[in-house]
Amino acid sequence: MKAQATPYFTFTGNARDALEYYKEVFKGEIITCQTYGEADFDTPKGADDRVMHAQFKKDALFFMVSDSFPGQDVELGSSISLALELDSLEEIQNYYSLLKEKGTTLMELQDTFWGATYAKVKDPYGITWDLNFTKDQ
């Protein structure tokens, strides 16, 4: 393999909103964003403005997203979470604060038995984020 597995999120028509949310929270950039309507194939009715493929990047954080076709079921966030190893206490506090603002706290920001500061938050798009800061690393 050339690299680690890349997280790929599928949304039900709100991928663009999710990308903007992640851009605001993580201060990253949307590298590419192509809609189904821009693709060179027949698009199902109602899918022209949906995201066919997009990439997001902030330093080492990289993931891809798309929208499903209209009517295709997607169970949001049920089978994946993303673990972020953060560089400072300030950084973990910032991300925790921003994510919980519109999301749901699954585990409050706290010192843990493994020697890290940690929190778990589900964002408003159903993605669970594990935030971890270990002072000695």
Side-chain angles (χ1 to χ4, degrees):
M1 288 188 208
K2 293 183 179 183
Q4 281 187 291
T6 300
Y8 203 113
F9 306 138
T10 303
F11 297 93
T12 57
N14 59 350
R16 191 179 310 274
D17 292 339
L19 283 166
E20 290 300 325
Y21 172 75
Y22 298 137
K23 184 177 174 182
E24 180 181 321
V25 168
F26 297 113
K27 307 297 186 237
E29 65 178 311
I30 301 164
I31 298 171
T32 61
C33 186
Q34 181 180 27
T35 65
Y36 284 104
E38 295 168 335
D40 189 21
F41 65 89
D42 290 335
T43 303
K45 186 175 180 171
D48 282 350
D49 293 330
R50 287 185 178 219
V51 173
M52 183 182 84
H53 179 72
Q55 297 177 324
F56 180 89
K57 182 161 178 49
K58 165 61 174 174
D59 300 328
L61 175 63
F62 177 78
F63 56 85
M64 297 180 278
V65 307
S66 68
D67 280 314
S68 63
F69 282 144
Q72 182 183 21
D73 290 333
V74 175
E75 188 173 330
L76 299 177
S78 65
S79 62
I80 189 170
S81 68
L82 294 179
L84 299 180
E85 294 293 334
L86 301 167
D87 293 323
S88 69
L89 191 56
E90 180 180 88
E91 187 178 33
I92 193 172
Q93 289 169 336
N94 180 57
Y95 288 150
Y96 174 68
S97 176
L98 290 168
L99 286 165
K100 77 175 192 168
E101 188 175 300
K102 294 181 183 175
T104 303
T105 300
L106 302 176
M107 186 172 169
E108 295 284 337
L109 185 65
Q110 61 191 272
D111 292 331
T112 65
F113 67 88
W114 62 88
T117 302
Y118 175 85
K120 188 179 204 83
V121 182
K122 183 180 283 191
D123 73 25
Y125 300 97
I127 305 302
T128 300
W129 297 88
D130 295 286
L131 308 175
N132 195 75
F133 167 64
T134 305
K135 185 186 274 187
D136 298 330
Q137 292 182 339

